[in-house]
Amino acid sequence: MTQQSFTATPLAPIRGFAWMLAALVALGPLAIDAYLPAIPMMAEHFDTSLHQIELTLSLFLLGFAAGQLFGGPFSDRHGRRLTILIGLSLFMLGSLITAFGTQVEMLWLGRLLQAFGGGMGVVNTMAMVRDRYSGQESAQVLSQIVTILMIAPLAAPFIGSFLLLFADWRAIFLFLFTYAVILLLVLRRHLPETQNQAQVSMVNPVKRYLGVLKSRPALAFLFSVAMANAGMFAFITGSPGVYMGYFGASEQLYPFLFGANIVTLTLANQLNIRLLRRYSAKRILAFGQLIQIIMGICMVVSLIWLPLELWALVPLVMLFIGMQGLIVANGMSSATDFFPHSAATATALISASGFTLGAVSGALVGFIGDGSPLAMVGIMAACPIVGFGLRSWLQRQVIPS
């Protein structure tokens, strides 16, 4: 596959384009975060351990990755709209199976199906942006989408807690079903196909994925995004135990501590949009990785050599998570620039890698955790170091220093 930069032809704007794509991407954080407050209730309902219910999170991440890996080539072959509509339909079916499951195994099945469908739909977001924009403009549009998207992870824990005041845990999955139904109807009516006939790829999906994997410049950005996401999911998995279990924060305070990260993430996305007017996406990405490394080291050092308190940990985590706003959008746009005719395939591989490594990092937090924050902050610190190191090494292989 030829590695080249591609400049999209200017096209007429689509009304509400960023809002519709942001609502589509919101499926992921809503499905991940909204049911977290209900996990103890679900364990009690099914008379099983918390671990059996927490397993649904790892299964969701793996299913989401699989949906993206399948949906990327399917979208490049059959179009964005069809892939999105099929994905939303599967998400709806998985939500119903989860809501009305009578055994914990039904939860696993429903979450896998829900995740697979969500992954199929979400993978088209970056592809649709790539269909219409390129380079710096692509990164700016993606940052706008991510800024809008930040409402979802901020609101999700509050939505779940609010629904539990009036109903049981099933109401959360019925809410997700309803959200998907409304989204399907809106996108079917208002979101046009962005892929033109010249972009349709008839190449075998395996060959398309191999084409991405053979591109060292693309791999450099793939690892940057994937390791950043792995660090974030280590926090998502470990934060309930660290904030509430170790530091004793209340269940009412936890959503605010969790939501504080969305504030810095939103501000970083706004900063990214402005920085892209003066600096390259690659340079901004490197800056974001360096800040994450510094914050990760500070967390580990503070925990080992100082009496780390909650008030000191929260700001460090906020800056760490906030740097996702400088890394993900720029990494995705930089990587997909090399694949103008297989944007969804490239996006799928990058995003699926992040969710897969996120499932691994989250599982490691639970496996090696001893009740202290060390496992969480240690893995969070290691992820950007690995991502930065791999990016630097791969880029040197292309352009020797």
Side-chain angles (χ1 to χ4, degrees):
M1 183 176 293
T2 303
Q3 298 172 11
Q4 59 181 345
S5 183
F6 177 79
T7 303
T9 303
L11 298 171
I14 299 173
R15 186 178 180 183
F17 185 65
W19 283 97
M20 287 187 287
L21 293 186
L24 178 61
V25 182
L27 278 177
L30 284 174
I32 290 170
D33 299 332
Y35 87 116
L36 293 179
I39 286 179
M41 182 185 296
M42 294 170 68
E44 182 178 354
H45 175 85
F46 288 100
D47 191 24
T48 188
S49 66
L50 283 175
H51 174 71
Q52 295 293 309
I53 305 300
E54 289 172 343
L55 184 60
T56 61
L57 178 56
S58 294
L59 288 174
F60 186 91
L61 296 179
L62 292 175
F64 207 77
Q68 291 178 90
L69 289 174
F70 175 81
F74 187 90
S75 173
D76 284 333
R77 180 75 176 269
H78 299 287
R80 316 303 187 205
R81 271 175 54 86
L82 177 63
T83 309
I84 290 173
L85 297 180
I86 292 175
L88 286 172
S89 299
L90 292 175
F91 184 92
M92 290 156 50
L93 179 59
S95 298
L96 289 178
I97 292 175
T98 306
F100 296 107
T102 56
Q103 297 179 333
V104 70
E105 290 79 9
M106 293 288 286
L107 292 183
W108 297 345
L109 174 63
R111 289 291 279 174
L112 277 172
L113 186 59
Q114 188 185 49
F116 189 87
M120 279 190 69
V122 168
V123 74
N124 286 274
T125 304
M126 183 60 209
M128 296 188 88
V129 172
R130 188 62 190 78
D131 289 343
R132 302 182 64 84
Y133 307 98
S134 62
Q136 303 287 91
E137 194 176 21
S138 171
Q140 288 179 332
V141 174
L142 191 59
S143 288
Q144 292 171 355
I145 292 172
V146 173
T147 300
I148 300 169
L149 170 65
M150 287 307 99
I151 299 171
L154 179 62
F158 291 98
I159 293 173
S161 298
F162 177 78
L163 291 173
L164 291 177
L165 293 176
F166 304 98
D168 65 7
W169 60 270
R170 300 179 192 274
I172 296 173
F173 294 99
L174 291 176
F175 160 76
L176 293 172
F177 169 79
T178 304
Y179 180 89
V181 170
I182 295 172
L183 185 58
L184 184 147
L185 294 175
V186 171
L187 297 186
R188 186 174 182 272
R189 180 178 179 84
H190 298 289
L191 186 65
E193 178 61 71
T194 60
Q195 185 185 41
N196 60 51
Q197 193 61 35
Q199 292 174 299
V200 175
S201 176
M202 304 299 288
V203 180
N204 183 283
V206 175
K207 291 184 178 179
R208 289 205 291 272
Y209 280 125
L210 289 176
V212 177
L213 292 172
K214 290 177 181 177
S215 169
R216 284 185 177 271
L219 278 181
F221 297 114
L222 180 150
F223 283 119
S224 296
V225 173
M227 294 310 301
N229 285 333
M232 181 182 66
F233 281 117
F235 165 75
I236 291 174
T237 303
S239 62
V242 170
Y243 284 173
M244 292 187 288
Y246 184 82
F247 288 109
S250 67
E251 294 179 359
Q252 292 72 34
L253 178 60
Y254 173 73
F256 290 96
L257 297 175
F258 187 90
N261 301 290
I262 311 304
V263 175
T264 51
L265 189 51
T266 302
L267 292 174
N269 272 288
Q270 290 297 314
L271 176 63
N272 188 49
I273 294 172
R274 288 166 173 75
L275 289 176
L276 284 166
R277 298 168 186 167
R278 297 185 59 185
Y279 304 102
S280 70
K282 302 173 182 63
R283 188 173 179 182
I284 300 170
L285 179 148
F287 175 76
Q289 287 182 309
L290 287 173
I291 297 298
Q292 277 200 336
I293 290 172
I294 293 171
M295 293 302 104
I297 292 174
C298 286
M299 285 188 285
V300 173
V301 170
S302 298
L303 181 64
I304 294 176
W305 282 287
L306 297 173
L308 181 63
E309 301 291 342
L310 181 61
W311 62 264
L313 176 62
V314 169
L316 295 175
V317 172
M318 288 174 63
L319 285 172
F320 182 97
I321 299 297
M323 289 304 100
Q324 294 287 106
L326 302 186
I327 296 172
V328 176
N330 294 314
M332 295 285 277
S333 64
S334 298
T336 54
D337 261 354
F338 293 96
F339 306 99
H341 302 304
S342 301
T345 298
T347 301
L349 189 59
I350 296 168
S351 186
S353 299
F355 276 93
T356 301
L357 289 177
V360 173
S361 67
L364 282 175
V365 168
F367 182 72
I368 67 177
D370 58 358
S372 77
L374 184 59
M376 183 187 81
V377 301
I379 293 173
M380 288 175 67
C383 287
I385 293 174
V386 173
F388 183 88
L390 288 173
R391 180 181 61 80
S392 301
W393 178 73
L394 286 166
Q395 289 179 340
R396 284 198 193 100
Q397 302 305 305
V398 179
I399 306 176
S401 57

